[in-house]
Amino acid sequence: MEFNSFAEFIAMGGHGLYVWLSYGLTAVVIAWNVAQPVMRRRRLLKEQAQRLRREKKHDAKA
Amino acid sequence: MPASSGQTTIDLEARQLFCERDDRVLFDHLDLRVRNGDLLQLAGPNGAGKTTLLRLLSGLNRDFDGELLWHGEALYDDYSGYASLRLYQGHLAAVKKALTPLENLSWLVSQWSVAEDDLWQALDAVELGGYEETPCQQLSAGQQRRVALARLCVAPAPLWILDEPFTALDKYGVTWLEQQLQKKVESGGAVIITSHHALENIASLQQLELGSVRA
Amino acid sequence: MPASSGQTTIDLEARQLFCERDDRVLFDHLDLRVRNGDLLQLAGPNGAGKTTLLRLLSGLNRDFDGELLWHGEALYDDYSGYASLRLYQGHLAAVKKALTPLENLSWLVSQWSVAEDDLWQALDAVELGGYEETPCQQLSAGQQRRVALARLCVAPAPLWILDEPFTALDKYGVTWLEQQLQKKVESGGAVIITSHHALENIASLQQLELGSVRA
Amino acid sequence: MWQWLKRLYHRLGSPKWFYEITAKWIPWLAIISVVGCVTGLVLGLLYAPADYLQGNSFRIIYIHVPAAILAQSAFMMMAIAGAVYLIWKMKMAAWVAKVIAPIGAGFCLIALFTGAIWGKPTWGTWWVWDARLTSMLLLLFLYFGVMALQQAMDSEESGFKAAAILALVGLVNIPIIKYSVEWWNTLHQPATLKLTEKPSMHPDMLIPLLIMIVTTYVFFALLVILRTRNEILWHERKRSWVKDILEP
Amino acid sequence: MSLGLVGATIRRDLTLAARNPGEWLNPLMFFLMVAALFPLAVDPDPKFLSKIAGGVIWVAALLATLLSLDALYKADVEDGSLEQWLASGESLYAMSLGKALVHWCISGLPLTLMAPLLGLMLSLPADAYQALIFSLLVGTPVLSLLGAVGAALTAGVRSGGLLLSLLILPLYIPVLIFAASAVYHAGIGMDYKGQIGFLGALLALAACLTPFASAAALKLNLSR
Amino acid sequence: MSLGLVGATIRRDLTLAARNPGEWLNPLMFFLMVAALFPLAVDPDPKFLSKIAGGVIWVAALLATLLSLDALYKADVEDGSLEQWLASGESLYAMSLGKALVHWCISGLPLTLMAPLLGLMLSLPADAYQALIFSLLVGTPVLSLLGAVGAALTAGVRSGGLLLSLLILPLYIPVLIFAASAVYHAGIGMDYKGQIGFLGALLALAACLTPFASAAALKLNLSR
Ligand code: HEM
Ligand SMILES: Nc1ncnc2c1ncn2[C@@H]1O[C@H](COP(=O)(O)OP(=O)(O)OP(=O)(O)O)[C@@H](O)[C@H]1O
Ligand SMILES: Nc1ncnc2c1ncn2[C@@H]1O[C@H](COP(=O)(O)OP(=O)(O)OP(=O)(O)O)[C@@H](O)[C@H]1O
Ligand SMILES: [Mg+2]
Ligand SMILES: [Mg+2]
């Protein structure tokens, strides 16, 4: 273990801002990268299921 | 259909029009008058000046000699009054490919205030029902023209000026449009049209043959 | 006219063509065969796929399933051989506005070798005599189309594939073009055409009705 | 062997097969990503010794280098997928190529951001026009170009093809960019700024880095699969097997 | 409903931009790239760059605006929308102003927001950032307004992009000189209020006068 | 007669350029103007300028070429000429090469001839003129060839001008770097054969390979 306390870990020997800023930005990009396809998948499934229901109703009428 | 054309009086008159293009006289001493119930077809060979005359009559082109009167007064004295009563449809459809038929139609009639429901009905009338929210680039040439023509159903303008409106329409479309023209003049509106298509079915048709310019 | 179409045998065959656009099937199990003396008109409502089929047959669009044969062999095996024997005219005229009809026509036939005299005669035949050296932007819509159609008189291609060639033509132009089609098939050539215009006058006309896609 | 390859090719070309098989892979890939990331970061952030020159700021390396490497390999994969689509018209390849572009651009952005931030404490400036930095920036532009071209086309299919052509042309360009820029830089300004390359890294530093690199590849695969599945769902939405998924 | 044609057109143009993000992203990327050309072509030394940074950023902003102008009216002329504006009888002055406004929203505004990043990359002196943003905020609307006149004039011309640049670049020179000088002076710690004030005056003038010119130019396109 | 379609197209394009001098004059004027912007935006001191002259001239040449590329295939796609090329069954490879050649004749060549004048205006060191001309002579054809690929890719896209720049600029960077470095080295009295040699190699590579890409890209535009 290189660090003796949590505060020291956060400080990163004075470079804390830089290290955590890069890790933070990376986390944001990664989170977006994961969230985007998951959300898209949900929306897709919902929309397509809706479309199918609409078409079924339409067919039933005809 | 909210077109309240019966009430408005239409009286568009041209006196002694003269127009030349590139030193070639297209027409001279041309007189015409259009009133409620008239359907005027401009005929003539390619290059005779039909499009040019239509643009003069609709006020888009002011490059001519002679007089152009609306209700007896110079057309340009109250151009925006005239503009709100006449619908002009040129060669070009003013349809944006990235937008849907509904969005396009809504823009095309934004000059008047038209309820959204009427727009849906109009698109249905031109057989675009079901395509209302498909981007126009996915439609065929004829379907795109229909978006612009759907305007005829909803715009409250008593006078229509149409340049080759039958372009790219199939036979159902042609029949539909002929019916619209018929209805329009029967309900007291008026139409000026150019078309190479024969319009014999309509009773009150008048033809104006523009001079031939062939060599 | 130097079209020596009588000699060449024409044999274009399509077997079990299938084509879809945006997940909508335009045609399926489509068979057709065109030989010397045939005139085939593709008919159908807007969006039926007429243009699409013409482009397949002329080899411009290769996005389909099925077989396309020229003299019994796959069309693309000797595409440039096929290309020199068939003339394709699409919606677009390929006419440059800054050039004269003569220059445009000369480019349009540069694939074959055609004598300059013939070009003048062809322009005369489409009633552009006198306009040979006027820049095309000064011509009307119909006159510009005629420049492209003048090609029909001079290009030594036995098979014509024409998409809506009557667009923007006046009645003289229409008659002239109908005569050309007639002459072509009589002299042993062949024509595939789309048009919303009725072609009843021509004896050997065959029609292919493409499926309706209306809602 | 040949037969086996052919079978694999046909299977990969089948959206349905891909969709079904990857459903089983996803949990594994996700677990490997998380475990790899946690071990890598714990080892790298807590246990690796501080660099004797840069101190603790060097810990940025554990995201910077994997991201930089991945951004480059992703471009290559995108170009290869594009070529497969152009040559064999395999739709799956087009979808994969389309899907890689935003992911690769994301990693490229990470590499640029972390590099810029790292530059501040080490070089005293956010940005210099050094060979590597410049070629990375150009790589980002190429990614954006591919994405912009793809969505500018009227029909999706032309978009795929155009993007594939551009990716291939861009691929040829990558080594050229890299070497030309290097030559230009060493010519114009003497090597004042060099990336800190020591002949051999301390194993305690190196191992977490290797773990992170491998993990990043796995994570990348996961992202590509997730997005490709969406593309499949959308493009095959009218087929019966998708309908069955939609309403079980 | 009943926004009138001008309102409807503004809404339609924003919808088009939203549906086709390239319309506003591409100028932004171009801006970045042109600015990146200079260090590569001239000299990547940060000291040297910090001296030219303001000027380079402004030249890049100017060129990016210029290129995005080409499309402003072109599509409307070609598909007949312009004809419909004229046929509607509504004020072309309002229409031109509306179009310039939309253009600024999708080009000038994003450029301004992106500029600080470029400042970092070109080692812009820390004191100059404020001046850079202010000058862009006041200066880019002038570029849009002036540019709209050129776009209207060249809308009917086939390869209008280049012609447009030729017409408009000379008019952009005053904006460029004052804006670049504001940034430069801020960088060496001097006052730059005068230059920004001048840019503000240019903006007021342009907002009042250029729509007349645009409207007149648009009418020309109809004699096609 | 009987030049074949490729020959006829080259002749037609040259005729068009002759009839519409804007096509080759506009890039030239743009070239001049962009180069003139710099002294205004940055610093008009001749000593300073002489240091950046080579780079600025090359950046200007690059941007001028870029802008003139937009029109290369666009008109041909829109009016149906491209359809006719494909229908003719003649080689698209030859056609693409021919088009790039014509483009160079009406943009790169005039630029090269005009460059010394700009050198004077920007106080280019006397030793650098030869390098400037050589680098332009060998470098601008590469720009035309690479650019033609981008032009073919974006020919069917409405506001393609900006998109084209976006695609092509990264590909132009190597040319820019070597050319600018040749001029710079010549200016300080050093040898620049290496850079010109590299540009020559790029030219050979581009002449062989890019027409394939252009031809493939042109086919795309037909699915409209
Ligand atoms: C925006 C700025 C930066 C960019 C775009 C950048 C880009 C890159 C790239 C492309 C690689 C190569 C990965 C590979 O293919 O092996 C890399 C590796 C590396 N970078 Fe950076 N970098 C930046 C700033 C920095 C800074 C400031 C440092 C530290 C002083 C740094 C340290 C490293 C190290 C140590 C490697 C690994 C070298 C190796 O083993 O090959 N980078 N970076
Ligand atoms: N932009 C123009 N510049 C100069 N002359 C033109 C222009 N447009 C058309 N003309 C000329 O004006 C005449 C009339 O053209 P117009 O477009 O009105 O004909 P038209 O009757 O509508 O023909 P068509 O049936 O072909 O549409 C033509 O003979 C043409 O030579
Ligand atoms: N660029 C395109 N992208 C996607 N779909 C298209 C495209 N062009 C046409 N389509 C679709 O293909 C179908 C056939 O179009 P095509 O142009 O072949 O019709 P057509 O029979 O020639 O009609 P028209 O009589 O209107 O010319 C249309 O329904 C249209 O929706
Ligand atoms: Mg007309
Ligand atoms: Mg059609």
Side-chain angles (χ1 to χ4, degrees):
Chain A
M1 189 75 100
E2 280 290 308
F3 301 98
N4 299 318
S5 72
F6 186 69
E8 214 173 283
F9 176 63
I10 293 298
M12 280 278 161
H15 291 312
L17 176 67
Y18 302 114
V19 174
W20 298 123
L21 189 60
S22 2
Y23 276 82
L25 277 171
T26 307
V28 169
V29 177
I30 300 264
W32 181 81
N33 252 332
V34 174
Q36 206 271 344
V38 171
M39 271 160 25
R40 167 109 203 273
R41 180 181 162 80
R42 283 210 195 120
R43 212 173 48 230
L44 254 175
L45 289 178
K46 209 175 88 193
E47 275 172 13
Q48 293 309 313
Q50 250 170 14
R51 183 181 60 89
L52 274 186
R53 254 177 278 138
R54 210 171 43 227
E55 278 174 8
K56 266 224 182 95
K57 231 186 266 164
H58 193 83
D59 290 349
K61 241 192 267 168
Chain B
M1 244 165 287
S4 59
S5 32
Q7 290 80 330
T8 330
T9 47
I10 299 169
D11 181 5
L12 178 66
E13 190 178 354
R15 286 197 199 140
Q16 297 291 311
L17 284 194
F18 165 85
C19 179
E20 64 174 5
R21 271 242 157 127
D22 292 327
D23 297 325
R24 235 198 19 248
V25 176
L26 292 181
F27 38 83
D28 195 1
H29 304 298
L30 185 106
D31 292 304
L32 64 82
R33 189 155 186 184
V34 175
R35 313 233 227 160
N36 298 61
D38 286 348
L39 193 156
L40 175 66
Q41 181 182 13
L42 305 183
N46 290 139
K50 302 181 293 297
T51 299
T52 311
L53 180 55
L54 271 198
R55 293 170 66 90
L56 294 188
L57 292 179
S58 57
L60 286 176
N61 186 340
R62 306 185 178 187
D63 194 11
F64 62 97
D65 289 333
E67 276 180 291
L68 215 50
L69 306 175
W70 175 244
H71 293 310
E73 299 185 13
L75 189 102
Y76 305 123
D77 286 356
D78 177 24
Y79 180 59
S80 70
Y82 173 62
S84 70
L85 293 175
R86 98 50 205 93
L87 184 154
Y88 172 77
Q89 179 64 53
H91 279 284
L92 299 167
V95 165
K96 295 272 177 205
K97 304 227 162 151
L99 299 182
T100 66
L102 194 64
E103 287 164 333
N104 271 309
L105 184 58
S106 141
W107 182 81
L108 282 166
V109 298
S110 58
Q111 170 188 8
W112 302 281
S113 37
V114 174
E116 169 129 6
D117 276 352
D118 291 338
L119 301 184
W120 286 80
Q121 278 175 24
L123 288 175
D124 227 33
V126 295
E127 311 212 34
L128 287 173
Y131 289 95
E132 290 95 348
E133 308 203 303
T134 318
C136 284
Q137 74 225 96
Q138 291 174 26
L139 303 183
S140 80
Q143 288 167 323
Q144 290 182 24
R145 292 284 309 180
R146 285 155 192 265
V147 176
L149 290 178
R151 206 151 62 120
L152 299 182
C153 302
V154 283
L159 171 64
W160 291 349
I161 299 189
L162 311 174
D163 197 357
E164 308 262 359
F166 292 98
T167 306
L169 291 188
D170 58 18
K171 57 179 189 252
Y172 307 96
V174 169
T175 318
W176 174 83
L177 184 53
E178 281 177 346
Q179 283 167 2
Q180 294 298 312
L181 298 180
Q182 178 92 43
K183 263 201 265 176
K184 187 72 181 176
V185 294
E186 275 169 10
S187 70
V191 179
I192 311 176
I193 193 173
T194 71
S195 170
H196 293 302
H197 173 92
L199 282 173
E200 291 109 7
N201 307 330
I202 297 172
S204 56
L205 180 73
Q206 303 161 31
Q207 277 207 335
L208 178 72
E209 183 80 22
L210 286 183
S212 160
V213 293
R214 358 198 81 233
Chain C
M1 244 165 288
S4 60
S5 32
Q7 291 80 331
T8 331
T9 47
I10 299 169
D11 181 6
L12 177 66
E13 188 176 356
R15 285 196 200 143
Q16 297 288 311
L17 283 195
F18 164 85
C19 178
E20 64 176 3
R21 269 242 158 128
D22 291 326
D23 296 323
R24 234 195 23 243
V25 176
L26 292 181
F27 38 82
D28 195 2
H29 303 299
L30 185 105
D31 292 304
L32 64 83
R33 190 156 187 184
V34 175
R35 312 232 227 159
N36 297 62
D38 286 347
L39 192 156
L40 175 66
Q41 180 182 14
L42 305 183
N46 290 138
K50 303 181 292 298
T51 299
T52 310
L53 179 55
L54 271 198
R55 294 169 65 90
L56 294 188
L57 292 178
S58 58
L60 286 175
N61 185 341
R62 307 188 177 187
D63 195 11
F64 63 95
D65 289 334
E67 275 180 290
L68 215 51
L69 307 175
W70 175 245
H71 292 310
E73 299 187 13
L75 189 102
Y76 305 124
D77 286 356
D78 178 23
Y79 179 58
S80 69
Y82 173 61
S84 70
L85 294 175
R86 108 32 214 98
L87 183 153
Y88 172 78
Q89 179 64 53
H91 279 284
L92 300 166
V95 165
K96 295 273 177 204
K97 303 226 161 150
L99 299 183
T100 65
L102 194 63
E103 287 165 332
N104 271 309
L105 183 58
S106 141
W107 182 81
L108 282 165
V109 297
S110 58
Q111 168 187 11
W112 302 282
S113 35
V114 174
E116 171 131 3
D117 277 351
D118 291 336
L119 301 184
W120 285 80
Q121 277 175 25
L123 288 175
D124 226 33
V126 294
E127 311 211 33
L128 286 173
Y131 289 95
E132 289 95 348
E133 305 203 306
T134 318
C136 283
Q137 72 225 84
Q138 290 173 26
L139 303 182
S140 80
Q143 288 168 322
Q144 290 181 24
R145 292 284 309 180
R146 284 156 194 265
V147 175
L149 290 179
R151 208 154 58 123
L152 299 182
C153 303
V154 283
L159 171 64
W160 291 348
I161 299 189
L162 311 174
D163 197 356
E164 309 263 356
F166 293 100
T167 305
L169 292 188
D170 57 18
K171 55 181 188 252
Y172 306 97
V174 169
T175 319
W176 174 83
L177 184 53
E178 281 176 347
Q179 283 167 1
Q180 293 298 311
L181 299 180
Q182 180 91 44
K183 260 199 267 176
K184 186 73 180 175
V185 294
E186 275 168 9
S187 70
V191 179
I192 311 176
I193 193 172
T194 72
S195 170
H196 292 302
H197 171 92
L199 282 173
E200 291 108 7
N201 307 330
I202 298 171
S204 56
L205 180 73
Q206 303 162 31
Q207 278 207 333
L208 178 72
E209 183 80 21
L210 286 182
S212 159
V213 293
R214 358 200 77 233
Chain D
M1 177 67 187
W2 180 240
Q3 282 304 312
W4 181 83
L5 270 180
K6 234 170 126 180
R7 250 203 353 261
L8 181 74
Y9 170 80
H10 280 293
R11 279 181 158 179
L12 277 177
S14 148
K16 180 165 182 265
W17 181 83
F18 183 92
Y19 190 89
E20 282 162 2
I21 194 90
T22 51
K24 292 179 206 135
W25 296 354
I26 287 176
W28 294 107
L29 291 175
I31 291 170
I32 297 176
S33 302
V34 171
V35 170
C37 184
V38 169
T39 17
L41 288 186
V42 165
L43 288 181
L45 287 176
L46 294 177
Y47 291 94
D51 187 84
Y52 68 97
L53 266 181
Q54 305 182 11
N56 283 312
S57 73
F58 99 98
R59 291 178 204 279
I60 294 176
I61 201 172
Y62 298 115
I63 44 182
H64 172 74
V65 172
I69 291 177
L70 198 90
Q72 296 167 66
S73 345
F75 196 92
M76 275 185 271
M77 291 186 229
M78 181 174 73
I80 292 170
V84 170
Y85 175 63
L86 284 180
I87 298 168
W88 291 295
K89 305 229 156 64
M90 193 209 244
K91 285 227 167 72
M92 280 291 298
W95 301 339
V96 168
K98 174 187 174 186
V99 143
I100 290 179
I103 304 175
F107 280 103
C108 200
L109 265 178
I110 293 179
L112 282 165
F113 274 139
T114 53
I117 293 169
W118 196 357
K120 190 66 188 166
T122 27
W123 304 336
T125 165
W126 299 99
W127 183 266
V128 289
W129 293 92
D130 153 279
R132 261 187 170 161
L133 278 58
T134 307
S135 52
M136 210 58 184
L137 186 64
L138 291 174
L139 184 67
L140 184 72
F141 287 152
L142 281 173
Y143 270 123
F144 281 147
V146 169
M147 287 193 283
L149 184 61
Q150 189 163 62
Q151 71 109 38
M153 287 295 191
D154 277 350
S155 91
E156 190 181 39
E157 216 164 292
S158 338
F160 289 148
K161 288 186 191 155
I165 294 172
L166 182 65
L168 284 169
V169 176
L171 191 62
V172 175
N173 205 48
I174 284 183
I176 297 186
I177 291 176
K178 200 151 176 155
Y179 290 113
S180 68
V181 173
E182 233 151 65
W183 194 25
W184 150 78
N185 195 27
T186 42
L187 278 175
H188 254 274
Q189 59 169 46
T192 48
L193 310 163
K194 263 272 193 240
L195 297 174
T196 51
E197 283 172 70
K198 281 183 286 168
S200 66
M201 226 187 224
H202 192 290
D204 285 352
M205 287 176 167
L206 187 60
I207 288 169
L209 181 60
L210 292 180
I211 294 178
M212 285 305 284
I213 291 175
V214 173
T215 307
T216 312
Y217 271 96
V218 175
F219 180 62
F220 171 74
L222 175 65
L223 290 180
V224 171
I225 286 174
L226 284 179
R227 281 179 184 251
T228 307
R229 284 163 60 88
N230 286 342
E231 290 296 316
I232 292 175
L233 273 183
W234 170 250
H235 286 98
E236 304 268 291
R237 65 191 180 282
K238 303 224 168 118
R239 316 258 154 159
S240 57
W241 69 270
V242 176
K243 285 186 184 163
D244 294 342
I245 292 174
L246 291 173
E247 37 186 34
Chain E
M1 278 276 140
S2 188
L3 288 165
L5 194 60
V6 176
T9 304
I10 292 178
R11 203 179 58 178
R12 183 173 73 153
D13 283 356
L14 291 175
T15 314
L16 282 170
R19 208 150 294 172
N20 179 5
E23 242 175 73
W24 55 275
L25 275 176
N26 290 356
L28 215 54
M29 299 305 303
F30 184 78
F31 176 54
L32 269 176
M33 274 196 219
V34 169
L37 290 183
F38 283 93
L40 299 178
V42 178
D43 185 354
D45 173 36
K47 262 238 199 72
F48 173 80
L49 283 180
S50 87
K51 251 183 23 195
I52 64 167
V56 167
I57 293 177
W58 253 97
V59 169
L62 200 148
L63 292 175
T65 309
L66 210 54
L67 285 197
S68 65
L69 276 167
D70 186 28
L72 186 59
Y73 286 114
K74 193 150 251 171
D76 292 320
V77 169
E78 282 172 8
D79 69 13
S81 298
L82 173 63
E83 222 173 50
Q84 292 298 332
W85 296 342
L86 261 109
S88 77
E90 291 196 27
S91 147
L92 271 186
Y93 180 98
M95 185 63 81
S96 316
L97 202 55
K99 287 291 275 191
L101 183 73
V102 171
H103 180 259
W104 183 74
C105 287
I106 63 179
S107 80
L109 187 61
L111 283 187
T112 308
L113 298 178
M114 184 65 124
L117 185 66
L118 268 187
L120 276 183
M121 294 177 66
L122 295 175
S123 337
L124 188 74
D127 293 338
Y129 280 88
Q130 209 189 12
L132 180 68
I133 298 207
F134 277 150
S135 68
L136 282 168
L137 218 48
V138 186
T140 48
V142 185
L143 300 186
S144 289
L145 284 162
L146 280 174
V149 180
L153 277 171
T154 57
V157 181
R158 184 139 297 284
S159 71
L162 258 176
L163 183 60
L164 174 64
S165 315
L166 286 183
L167 297 180
I168 293 302
L169 266 183
L171 300 180
Y172 278 3
I173 301 272
V175 181
L176 179 69
I177 290 178
F178 281 95
S181 128
V183 182
Y184 180 77
H185 280 86
I188 57 175
M190 283 168 66
D191 186 44
Y192 60 91
K193 281 207 201 74
Q195 288 93 325
I196 299 282
F198 188 85
L199 286 178
L202 275 183
L203 175 56
L205 208 70
C208 296
L209 297 182
T210 58
F212 283 114
S214 292
L218 282 177
K219 284 197 193 143
L220 285 183
N221 282 301
L222 281 181
S223 60
R224 305 194 310 148
Chain F
M1 280 276 140
S2 187
L3 288 164
L5 195 60
V6 176
T9 304
I10 292 178
R11 204 181 57 178
R12 183 174 74 152
D13 282 355
L14 291 174
T15 314
L16 282 170
R19 208 151 295 174
N20 178 6
E23 242 174 73
W24 54 275
L25 274 176
N26 289 355
L28 217 53
M29 300 301 301
F30 184 80
F31 178 52
L32 269 176
M33 277 198 209
V34 169
L37 287 183
F38 276 91
L40 296 177
V42 178
D43 186 354
D45 172 37
K47 259 234 202 79
F48 175 79
L49 282 180
S50 87
K51 246 180 34 188
I52 66 168
V56 168
I57 292 177
W58 252 97
V59 170
L62 199 148
L63 291 174
T65 309
L66 209 54
L67 287 195
S68 65
L69 275 168
D70 186 28
L72 186 59
Y73 286 114
K74 193 151 250 170
D76 291 322
V77 169
E78 282 173 8
D79 70 12
S81 297
L82 173 63
E83 221 173 51
Q84 292 298 333
W85 295 343
L86 259 109
S88 77
E90 293 197 26
S91 148
L92 271 186
Y93 181 97
M95 186 62 81
S96 316
L97 204 54
K99 287 291 275 190
L101 185 72
V102 172
H103 180 260
W104 183 74
C105 288
I106 63 179
S107 81
L109 188 60
L111 284 186
T112 308
L113 299 178
M114 180 67 119
L117 183 64
L118 272 186
L120 278 182
M121 288 168 57
L122 297 175
S123 345
L124 188 76
D127 292 340
Y129 280 88
Q130 207 189 13
L132 180 67
I133 299 211
F134 276 150
S135 69
L136 282 167
L137 219 47
V138 186
T140 48
V142 186
L143 300 186
S144 290
L145 285 162
L146 278 174
V149 180
L153 281 171
T154 57
V157 178
R158 184 139 297 285
S159 69
L162 256 177
L163 182 61
L164 173 65
S165 317
L166 213 68
L167 305 183
I168 294 301
L169 267 181
L171 305 181
Y172 278 1
I173 298 286
V175 180
L176 178 69
I177 288 175
F178 282 98
S181 132
V183 182
Y184 179 78
H185 280 83
I188 56 175
M190 282 170 66
D191 185 42
Y192 59 91
K193 281 207 201 74
Q195 287 93 326
I196 299 283
F198 190 86
L199 286 178
L202 277 184
L203 176 56
L205 206 71
C208 297
L209 296 183
T210 60
F212 283 113
S214 292
L218 281 176
K219 285 199 192 142
L220 287 183
N221 285 300
L222 280 181
S223 61
R224 305 194 312 148

